[in-house]
Structures are given as structure tokens and as C-alpha cells.
């Protein structure tokens, strides 16, 4: 759409039978719709008003999954409409390069259509990584795609890989009273986040009953009729109804004809790109998951817009791809933007910490979501905001308020904004005022 607005003629080629991408059909949207339904169920179960109706409610995992269907349909409709309105031609079929200015797309009647273009943007996404010695055809061995087709609520599950997807599914299953083992290959959960936030995540997951094991490496997976055993190299064994493999993703670069144009994906199947998302062939770009981290829908959209501007006008807004927040939909939800305490300490930047605990906020007390905290890191001297880290209800929304101030230039980026501005009351946004007062009071 950005390219069309820039006066280019554009075609989108999609291998699936509907538009929307993995994000809509088997990634972000179904997992977040599932998580929302489970949260609604948890809120209902906790609400004293409905205690007398609880034994009439019998909700199974597939019922909760169904909630995603309507959202997926709505997203697909919206996207078709956008493409139509912007005169983007959409063709269905698996695209393959035949040379560096032509791709081939097999049509449903078997005839291959050849399309030529001056520029190409590869946005083929990623899929769960499958180690060759694990049998993903066994019904007890799942990945993040096949878990969306699970037809029953298991009694127990082992999740191997405690990255974002592993932690999110640990929250989903423990909320359904499923026994969960979360087996992490590293020494702490989500180590790219601020330590205080990941400590809180570990604490709350354990409080909810999740067994977390760190520094484990799988040795073998043994699936049978009565369960699946994950054998770790440490000698530990985890036997559960199901195994969810959530350890790594590979870029979708197979059968793309890359060998015809001299592009070689890295060992994760991703394409290496420069700062402008160009591959080693400057007229062929790669964006989104196929170009590697951060592998977020949010960042992928903006990389696409960035590249659209780069091709159409040769100029782009670099800020679009430089700073992006992270939203992690565990229970509690997590979100952050900017630098962590560890990074600021290593860079010897004099910072101070501003905290607000959700349990003190009237809005959190009203909704019953009192678990959570907002933490703002700011420069001791300039008072500029350097990082915002939040966990708890609505964390991924709350973070944007601070992000808006942090992205201002010069003196406009100041923590004082939050004490000099009146916020609606009662709101979760009030956490900013509480935190700012807390932080400013620490200065001497
Ligand atoms: C379980 C899960 C939860 C997630 N949750 C979040 C979240 O909460 N927030 C967030 O920001 N991100 C989330 N993500 C990540 C997000 O889904 C991806 O970062 C995003 O979808 C990447 O977009 P993309 O356009 O690169 O690829 P995709 O969305 O995967 O789309 C790629 C498209 O290319 C098509 N394709 C592939 N090969 C070809 C070919 N040869 N020819 C034609 N078409 C082809 C595919 O059919 C697909 O439709 C999640 C991912 C997963 C798996």
C-alpha cells in the first residue's frame, strides 16, 4: 500500500488461500484471541458475583480457540478491503524466483504465471523450527501451529523453550488448570528484558503452578500412547500428556528459488539484510520474520512501510524501525521500551528509578487486577526518560504513554511531564504520576 501511494504498480503474492499472513492465521491473532478468552474466563471465575454459577460452566480448550475465528475473518475482510482500495493486485500461489527480475507463480489451473518487476520484497515469514530427531507427526508432540488445532484440554503439558511463545503458552495452559513444565534452555526467562520484570514473571508463573527449569537441553523425545517424555541432557525427564516444542523458528526460504539468484539463507533459514533491509542484491529486500529478529508483527509492519518508502522515494523515516516496544502476553502481561537497568549500568549512564505498584491504584483495585508495576528509568541530571518497563494488566497499552514522551527530542523528553499533567482518574495511566513522584523524590 505504501508503494502504491508512492506511484508504483504492485502485486502481492500469497501462498495461503487468504490474505493476512501467519500473523492473522497461525501466529499473533489466534494466540492473542485465545489468551483473551482465557482471561475472560479467569475474571469470571474470580468474580464473587458469579460464584453460584461456576459449576454450570464447562469450557474446554477448543471452545476457547473458537473465539479467534471471528477475529481472523474480520482481519481478512479488512485487509482485502485495504488492498482493493489501494489498487494492490493480490495473486494466490507459491512464488519462486526464476531469475533476479522474474518470479513464477503456479495458478490453480496448473499454468505457471511469470511476473517481472524492478523490485521485490520478500516477506515470507517463519515457521516453528523442527529438529530432525523429533517426530512432529505424533499427536502428543505439538508446535505453535498445531497447538491451535488441539481438540481437547490436556491434563499436563511440557513446554520446551521459554522464549516469548513458550512463556505465553505456559500462562495460557496454567490458567486452564493444566499442569505445566516450562523447560528453559537459558539461565533466566526472557533475558532481553529488565531483570526486575523477569523476576516478577518467574515469581508469578510459579505462583500459578508452572514448574520452571533453567539451563536444560533436550536429549530425546519419546512419545507413546500414554504420554510423552522429554529427556534432558542433565538426566532430568518430564512426562506429560503433551509436549509443546517452542524452541526457535526458521525463515520461510525453502522452494523460493533463491539458488537461481545467488542468495543463500543463514542457518536459521533467514536472509541477511543491510540497514535498509536490502539483501546482497540491492533491488531485492527482505522484511519481517524472514529477515530475523525482532520477529514481531508490530516491527514487520513498519519494516514494510520503511521499504515501501525506500523504493518509492529513496527516503525513509529511520525512527520507524529504530525504537519499538515489546509486548508479551503472559499473565501478568509485560511490555517495555528503551534501555534496561543492566544496559544503562554497563554504559555508565547516571539513572534513577521511578516505581508505581499497581496495588496502590484505584483503577486496579476496582478491576481486581492489582498485580503489576510500572518502572521508569530516567537520567538523574537531564530527567530524560531512558526506559519504561511494565508488567500487569494492560501493560502493553500503558507503555505507549511513556513511549510518546520518551520519543520527544530535547527538553520535551522529561519525566516531569507526568507530574505537570492532569490524567483521568481512576485510570491505569495514573501509574505514571505515581511513579514520577516516586522517582523525583529520590533525587538529591
Ligand atoms: C504463536 C505466536 C504468537 C505471536 N504473537 C505476537 C504478538 O503478540 N505480537 C507481535 O508483534 N508478534 C507476534 N508474533 C510474531 C508475528 O506473528 C510475526 O512476527 C509476523 O507474523 C511476521 O510477519 P511477516 O509478514 O514477516 O510473516 P507472516 O505473517 O508469517 O506472513 C508470511 C506470509 O507469506 C506467505 N508465504 C510464504 N512463502 C511464500 C511463497 N513462497 N510465496 C507466496 N507466499 C508465501 C505465507 O503463506 C504467509 O501468509 C507471534 C508469532 C507466533 C508464532
Amino acid at each position: 500500500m505504501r508503494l502504491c501511494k508512492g506511484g508504483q504498480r504492485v502485486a502481492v503474492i500469497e501462498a495461503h488461500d487468504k490474505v493476512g499472513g501467519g500473523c492473522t492465521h497461525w501466529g499473533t491473532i489466534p494466540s492473542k484471541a485465545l489468551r483473551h478468552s482465557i482471561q475472560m474466563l479467569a475474571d469470571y471465575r474470580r468474580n464473587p458475583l458469579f460464584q453460584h454459577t461456576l459449576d454450570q460452566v464447562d469450557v474446554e480448550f477448543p471452545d476457547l480457540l473458537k473465539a479467534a475465528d471471528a477475529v481472523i475473518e474480520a482481519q481478512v475482510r479488512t485487509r482485502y478491503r485495504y488492498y482493493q482500495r489501494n489498487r494492490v493486485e493480490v495473486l494466490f500461489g507459491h512464488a519462486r524466483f526464476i531469475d533476479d527480475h522474474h518470479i513464477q507463480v503456479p495458478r490453480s489451473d496448473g499454468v505457471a504465471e511469470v511476473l517481472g518487476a524492478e523490485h521485490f520484497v520478500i516477506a515470507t515469514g517463519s515457521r516453528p523450527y523442527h529438529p530432525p530427531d523429533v517426530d512432529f507427526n505424533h499427536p502428543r508432540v505439538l508446535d505453535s501451529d498445531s497447538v491451535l488445532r488441539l481438540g481437547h484440554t490436556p491434563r499436563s503439558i511440557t513446554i520446551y523453550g521459554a522464549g516469548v511463545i513458550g512463556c505465553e503458552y505456559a500462562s495460557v495452559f496454567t490458567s486452564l488448570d493444566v499442569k505445566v513444565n516450562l523447560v528453559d534452555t537459558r539461565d533466566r526467562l526472557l533475558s532481553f528484558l529488565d531483570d526486575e520484570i523477569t523476576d516478577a514473571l518467574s515469581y508469578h508463573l510459579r505462583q500459578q503452578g508452572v514448574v520452571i527449569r533453567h539451563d536444560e537441553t533436550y536429549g530425546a523425545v519419546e512419545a507413546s500412547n500414554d504420554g510423552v517424555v522429554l529427556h534432558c541432557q542433565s538426566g532430568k525427564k518430564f512426562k506429560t500428556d503433551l509436549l509443546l516444542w517452542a524452541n526457535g523458528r526458521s525463515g520461510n526460504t525453502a522452494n523460493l528459488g533463491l539458488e537461481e539468484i545467488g542468495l543463500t539463507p543463514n542457518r536459521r533459514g533467514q536472509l541477511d539484510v543491510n540497514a535498509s533491509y536490502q539483501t546482497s542484491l540491492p533491488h531485492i529486500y527482505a522484511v519481517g520474520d524472514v529477515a530475523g529478529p525482532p520477529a514481531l508483527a508490530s516491527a514487520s509492519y513498519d519494516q514494510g512501510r520503511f521499504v515501501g518508502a525506500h523504493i518509492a522515494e529513496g527516503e525513509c523515516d529511520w525512527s520507524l524501525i529504530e525504537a519499538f516496544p515489546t509486548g508479551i502476553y503472559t499473565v501478568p502481561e509485560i511490555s517495555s521500551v528503551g534501555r534496561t537497568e543492566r544496559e544503562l549500568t554497563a554504559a555508565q549512564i547516571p539513572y534513577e528509578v521511578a516505581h508505581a505498584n499497581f496495588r496502590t491504584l484505584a483503577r486496579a483495585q476496582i478491576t481486581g487486577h492489582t498485580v503489576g508495576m510500572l518502572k521508569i528509568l530516567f537520567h538523574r541530571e537531564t530527567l530524560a526518560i531512558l526506559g519504561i518497563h511494565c508488567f500487569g494488566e494492560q501493560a502493553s497499552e500503558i507503555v505507549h504513554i511513556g513511549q510518546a514522551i520518551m520519543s520527544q527530542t530535547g527538553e520535551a523528553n522529561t519525566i516531569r511531564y507526568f507530574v505537570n499533567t492532569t490524567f483521568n482518574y481512576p485510570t491505569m495511566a495514573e501509574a505514571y504520576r505515581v511513579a514520577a513522584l516516586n522517582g523525583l523524590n529520590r533525587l538529591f
Side-chain angles (χ1 to χ4, degrees):
M1 288 188 282
R2 180 67 187 78
L3 281 161
C4 278
K5 285 187 166 70
Q8 307 278 320
R9 190 166 167 228
V10 181
V12 169
I13 323 294
E14 173 51 58
H16 189 55
D17 59 359
K18 293 191 185 90
V19 295
C23 170
T24 306
H25 296 283
W26 52 86
T28 314
I29 298 295
S31 64
K32 267 43 321 161
L34 171 68
R35 191 247 189 202
H36 179 72
S37 311
I38 287 172
Q39 276 227 293
M40 293 293 99
L41 184 65
D43 281 352
Y44 161 78
R45 283 185 171 146
R46 227 186 14 227
N47 193 326
L49 285 177
F50 303 125
Q51 289 307 307
H52 63 289
T53 64
L54 286 190
D55 51 2
Q56 295 157 26
V57 179
D58 180 22
V59 185
E60 294 290 314
F61 186 74
D63 303 319
L64 296 160
L65 275 176
K66 276 195 212 110
D69 295 350
V71 187
I72 294 171
E73 264 174 48
Q75 283 290 310
V76 169
R77 269 198 311 275
T78 307
R79 276 154 216 284
Y80 274 125
R81 215 170 39 241
Y82 287 158
Y83 287 140
Q84 256 172 358
R85 221 185 269 164
N86 288 283
R87 298 183 202 293
V88 177
E89 198 175 336
V90 181
L91 301 168
F92 291 95
H94 182 102
R96 255 188 85 81
F97 281 98
I98 47 176
D99 64 45
D100 70 356
H101 278 286
H102 294 91
I103 55 167
Q104 196 178 55
V105 185
R107 288 197 321 224
S108 50
D109 60 8
V111 179
E113 191 161 351
V114 174
L115 294 121
E118 271 176 54
H119 296 96
F120 293 86
V121 182
I122 303 175
T124 47
S126 63
R127 62 181 185 286
Y129 167 69
H130 282 184
D133 56 340
V134 177
D135 177 12
F136 285 86
N137 291 320
H138 197 286
R140 293 190 183 277
V141 181
L142 305 175
D143 62 24
S144 63
D145 289 351
S146 56
V147 73
L148 298 171
R149 298 189 290 274
L150 186 63
H152 66 286
T153 312
R155 277 172 305 147
S156 57
I157 190 165
T158 297
I159 301 175
Y160 182 71
V164 174
I165 294 175
C167 288
E168 287 186 356
Y169 272 107
S171 284
V172 160
F173 281 107
T174 196
S175 303
L176 285 173
D177 291 333
V178 177
K179 278 168 66 180
V180 179
N181 299 315
L182 180 60
V183 181
D184 187 6
T185 57
R186 307 199 176 177
D187 62 356
R188 60 183 300 125
L189 297 181
L190 308 178
S191 51
F192 59 91
L193 293 170
D194 193 83
D195 290 349
E196 204 173 342
I197 302 291
T198 48
D199 287 349
L201 177 67
S202 301
Y203 172 80
H204 287 287
L205 284 178
R206 286 190 165 117
Q207 283 283 99
Q208 292 160 34
V210 176
V211 172
I212 304 174
R213 291 282 174 264
H214 291 294
D215 285 324
E216 296 290 351
T217 308
Y218 92 102
V221 171
E222 193 191 341
S224 64
N225 286 342
D226 75 329
V228 51
V229 183
L230 173 74
H231 297 262
C232 288
Q233 286 178 12
S234 64
K236 291 196 196 70
K237 295 177 191 177
F238 300 90
K239 182 172 182 187
T240 41
D241 286 353
L242 298 176
L243 171 73
L244 171 61
W245 189 274
N247 198 34
R249 296 186 65 82
S250 311
N252 289 329
T253 42
N255 303 321
L256 208 53
L258 295 179
E259 60 289 353
E260 307 291 342
I261 56 174
L263 286 184
T264 310
N266 63 25
R267 65 182 178 86
R268 291 190 160 267
Q270 298 154 350
L271 289 166
D272 296 329
V273 288
N274 66 14
S276 304
Y277 294 92
Q278 288 164 301
T279 64
S280 54
L281 299 172
H283 69 293
I284 301 184
Y285 295 73
V287 295
D289 284 14
V290 76
L296 289 170
S298 50
S300 305
Y301 279 126
D302 289 339
Q303 290 168 9
R305 287 165 59 206
F306 175 92
V307 161
H310 200 262
I311 296 172
E313 278 125 39
E315 284 178 17
C316 353
D317 179 2
W318 288 88
S319 67
L320 204 54
I321 51 166
E322 276 163 0
F324 49 85
T326 309
I328 298 164
Y329 299 87
T330 40
V331 181
E333 190 167 305
I334 292 174
S335 194
S336 76
V337 64
R339 283 180 279 182
T340 62
E341 285 205 57
R342 215 179 318 121
E343 288 165 345
L344 292 171
T345 304
Q348 299 189 329
I349 295 172
Y351 69 91
E352 195 44 270
V353 186
H355 273 124
N357 205 308
F358 284 9
R359 69 167 182 268
T360 63
L361 303 178
R363 182 63 176 254
Q365 290 162 1
I366 292 166
T367 60
H369 292 289
T370 48
V371 168
M373 180 196 74
L374 172 68
K375 166 173 170 176
I376 308 173
L377 305 178
F378 65 100
H379 198 288
R380 275 193 74 89
E381 283 129 36
T382 67
L383 305 187
I385 299 173
L386 305 167
I388 300 154
H389 307 278
C390 188
F391 76 91
E393 178 74 0
Q394 301 287 326
S396 58
E397 299 283 357
I398 292 168
V399 80
H400 294 140
I401 300 168
Q403 183 187 19
I405 300 304
M406 194 173 87
S407 64
Q408 303 298 310
T409 50
E411 288 182 4
N413 173 10
T414 172
I415 194 169
R416 281 208 186 280
Y417 172 84
F418 297 113
V419 288
N420 295 339
T421 307
T422 307
F423 278 40
N424 280 329
Y425 178 85
T427 55
M428 295 306 287
E430 195 204 347
Y432 279 97
R433 182 175 49 79
V434 176
L437 287 168
N438 168 272
L440 291 168
N441 282 340
R442 280 184 218 260
L443 297 177
F444 49 87

